[in-house]
């Protein structure tokens, strides 16, 4: 992520305020809020770019072996961006390991996948939760708070399935599959003996 000279000035000022709280002018508050918005936008764009890269990687992986060169190049880019290889990637690399680049990537991906599994297991055993999404900057020390929604009481959610607005209730099986009706026996016809 790159900052412009103006954004660096605002960032430097915000860091100085965080270290030594002083009252802020409205202009400083607005500058900090604009910088926070720019950072949020950059983070969102990075997320969209990552999703595009991962979708492209899956498309190339599904077209193997004909797309081996493109797949290996995209996988290298994804690994450089912090991608954890999935079992599909390891299986694809095992199929392509005849080439030197694929063999080297397979070795690298196996190490990364093992490291990722160990980290997840360590996190579970320690009872650590995954970090939540980054919240927006609402107030600065020494400045005025940005406009925010008043706290509203939240409706209690049911433990099994929280109801969202617009959700339809789950139909009962009898509504989806009505009971079968037994066919009526044919009327008995009496034959007149003649």
């Amino acid at each position: 992520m790159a900052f412009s000279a103006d954004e660096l000035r605002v960032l430097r000022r915000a860091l100085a305020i965080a270290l030594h709280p002083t009252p802020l002018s409205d202009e400083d508050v607005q500058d900090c809020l604009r910088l926070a918005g720019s950072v949020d936008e950059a983070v969102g764009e990075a997320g969209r770019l990552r999703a595009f890269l991962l979708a492209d990687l899956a498309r190339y992986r599904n077209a193997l072996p004909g797309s081996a060169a493109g797949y290996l190049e995209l996988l290298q880019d994804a690994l450089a961006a912090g991608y954890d290889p999935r079992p599909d990637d390891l299986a694809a690399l095992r199929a392509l390991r005849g080439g030197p680049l694929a063999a080297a990537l397979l070795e690298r991906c196996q190490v990364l996948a093992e490291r990722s599994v160990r980290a997840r297991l360590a996190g579970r055993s320690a009872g650590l939760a995954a970090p939540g999404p980054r919240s927006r900057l609402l107030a600065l020390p020494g400045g005025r708070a940005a406009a925010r929604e008043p706290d509203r009481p939240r409706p209690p959610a049911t433990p099994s399935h929280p109801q969202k607005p617009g959700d339809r209730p789950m139909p009962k099986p009898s509504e989806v599959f009505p009971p079968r009706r037994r066919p009526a026996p044919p009327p008995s016809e009496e034959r007149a003996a003649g």
Side-chain angles (χ1 to χ4, degrees):
M1 181 182 302
F3 291 103
S4 70
D6 218 22
E7 290 171 332
L8 282 176
R9 179 190 57 77
V10 172
L11 186 59
R12 197 174 297 128
R13 176 81 174 121
L15 290 173
I17 291 166
L19 293 174
H20 306 288
T22 59
L24 292 175
S25 68
D26 285 347
E27 183 182 340
D28 286 340
V29 170
Q30 292 304 317
D31 286 345
C32 289
L33 290 174
R34 271 193 298 275
L35 179 62
S38 296
V39 169
D40 286 342
E41 186 179 326
V43 167
E45 185 62 32
R48 285 189 293 277
L49 183 61
R50 180 177 169 78
F52 175 78
L53 176 66
L54 295 180
D56 218 17
L57 182 65
R59 198 165 40 90
Y60 273 78
R61 184 176 51 236
N62 292 336
L64 285 173
S67 64
Y71 172 70
L72 295 175
E73 184 180 326
L74 281 172
L75 183 58
Q76 284 179 320
D77 291 346
L79 292 173
Y83 172 70
D84 280 333
R86 297 195 167 89
D88 292 344
D89 296 310
L90 295 173
L93 288 171
R94 283 187 193 104
L96 297 171
R97 70 176 157 215
L101 178 59
L105 275 174
L106 175 60
E107 198 172 306
R108 181 177 173 197
C109 286
Q110 285 173 332
V111 170
L112 290 173
E114 184 178 330
R115 211 178 285 160
S116 175
V117 168
R118 286 178 191 231
R120 280 195 304 259
L121 290 175
R124 282 188 193 153
S125 66
L128 299 175
R134 187 171 93 73
S135 61
R136 289 189 49 85
L137 176 65
L138 294 179
L140 296 171
R144 67 182 168 114
R148 65 178 199 196
E149 295 180 21
D151 294 334
R152 290 187 224 131
R154 295 182 182 197
T158 58
S160 62
H161 178 67
Q163 193 74 13
K164 296 177 187 152
D167 275 359
R168 291 182 17 195
M170 182 72 81
K172 297 178 195 170
S174 62
E175 295 171 341
V176 177
F177 305 105
R180 288 187 176 174
R181 307 263 185 242
R182 295 182 186 218
S188 11
E189 294 178 15
E190 292 182 15
R191 293 190 180 183

